[in-house]
Amino acid sequence: MIWNPSKECMPREELRELQGKRLAKVVNRVYHNVPYYREKMQALGLEPGDIQTLDDITKLPFTTYEDLNATYPFGLAAVPKSELVRVHASSGTTGKPKIGVYTRRDIDIWSECVARCLSMAGITKDDVIQVGYGYGLFTGGLGAHYGAEHLGALVLPMSAGNTQKLISMMIDCEATAIACTPSYLLHVAEDLEKSGLKDKIKLKYAICGAEPWTNEMRDQMEKKLNIKAFDIYGLTEICGPGVANDCEYHEGLHIWEDHFLPEILDPVTLQPVPEGESGELVITTLTKEGMPMIRYRTKDLTSLKYEKCKCGRTMARIQRFKGRTDDMLIIRGVNVFPSQVEAALLTIDGITPHYMLVVDRINNEDTLEIQVEVEERFFSDEVSALENLKKKVHSCLRQAIGLNADVKLVEPNALPHSDGKTKHVTDKRKLYV
Ligand code: DLL
């Protein structure tokens, strides 16, 4: 079902006009309310009046994680703090977390965007939806929650982690939809199979995102659970889940262009690529009040398709993600940067700067092994010294990245060393096409 046909199916000419107007308005707002943006525009000799139509967007400066880091936490807010009602965050590199702040209207618009996504999957107010994304600073839990309430569905705010409880509530409350990461849903499917409870569930739809996944994973979960599974995309800096979602034709994720203006740029030259070619997705928020983003470089690599979809929606479609321009990994739904691991390791005495993250997916669950070279002396010392060091490394990494990793301490020179770019990650999951 199309939640908001007047927007989702807007003729593209009309949409472009709306986008142009909104762009001029948001640029004017940030110029006057955010000194950081004003200075960046002034450095390019730009004034708000220079941005009149959509084509003027290429004149504007970019916003990056480094800008977020430099202005952390509220330096990019375009309203006084008293107008803000919510903060969300996700991990950055070794710097500060990436943060998003919201006014009440931002939350309302975000909820509508998520409601459009859920509705696209066929979910209605008659459904019972389990939210299995983490609640808290992560946008997944509360984002899906507010969107589902906006739709009028009955929400079970489960959060992530306790699979047994999730399954028993799924059965008891007759959940018909679930929103969680795709890898977690496959894990739930496996537990349902093992426990012989599969026939007791009433699940019909899944809304999965927050990490890359493949068509093979979709096939698996649809077959195992007898459901229809949909892909939802978003990022903290823009709002959270609900920036885009795929419809029943699964030919890309419709991005809500009345709120988020997408561009695809060559990540090196930062020039637009021809339509249909891959590049970095750059998003400008057209309606956000709390923390508008001007040409935010998402670092996600993809392409866009603008032709009208068979579903009737005119909104452009984000094609399969091809990877990221940085080295961010998403492990069990948590964003992890090798640089965070490195910074944490270097605080421990006896550890050398040589390490390797080995990521795999075993029985539908992400595994992370962190191999670390330690000084020679630990191998000649008593075994307990090595064991203690291992515990220390484990807890230090848990603090730094928020995940339990298997730590493997190895002897000096056991890992590949290089004069050039040392490889710090072996990802065996092959999630990007
Ligand atoms: O992951 C927001 C979200 C929550 C999206 C729940 C969907 C569902 P961050 O933690 O800021 O926000 O991570 C954003 O995750 O730039 C992508 O690299 C990746 N990502 C998110 N959704 C998808 C997806 C949330 N459907 C980063 N497919 C983004 C591929 C995704 N990658």
Side-chain angles (χ1 to χ4, degrees), residues 371-412:
Q371 303 171 348
V372 190
E373 282 187 18
V374 303
E375 288 170 8
E376 188 70 55
R377 61 188 159 98
F378 286 94
F379 290 92
S380 38
D381 269 7
E382 293 164 39
V383 183
S384 63
L386 200 61
E387 271 309 307
N388 287 339
L389 185 64
K390 189 169 163 176
K391 276 189 201 139
K392 205 167 169 182
V393 172
H394 180 269
S395 88
C396 176
L397 287 172
R398 193 179 150 64
Q399 276 269 329
I401 59 171
L403 280 177
N404 273 317
D406 291 323
V407 174
K408 190 173 170 193
L409 301 182
V410 298
E411 292 186 46

Side-chain angles (χ1 to χ4, degrees), residues 105-176:
R105 183 166 170 269
D106 291 338
I107 300 279
D108 289 345
I109 290 179
W110 181 21
S111 306
E112 141 116 18
C113 287
V114 175
R116 289 185 194 177
C117 298
L118 300 176
S119 183
M120 199 185 255
I123 301 170
T124 71
K125 68 184 287 299
D126 298 327
D127 282 293
V128 178
I129 178 165
Q130 274 191 309
V131 176
Y133 292 116
Y135 279 65
L137 281 174
F138 178 52
T139 53
L142 286 166
H145 184 112
Y146 272 60
E149 277 192 0
H150 190 80
L151 189 78
L154 175 56
V155 189
L156 299 174
M158 303 304 304
S159 205
N162 190 340
T163 311
Q164 265 195 344
K165 183 92 173 236
L166 183 113
I167 289 177
S168 64
M169 290 294 279
M170 183 185 281
I171 295 169
D172 297 347
C173 299
E174 302 191 333
T176 47

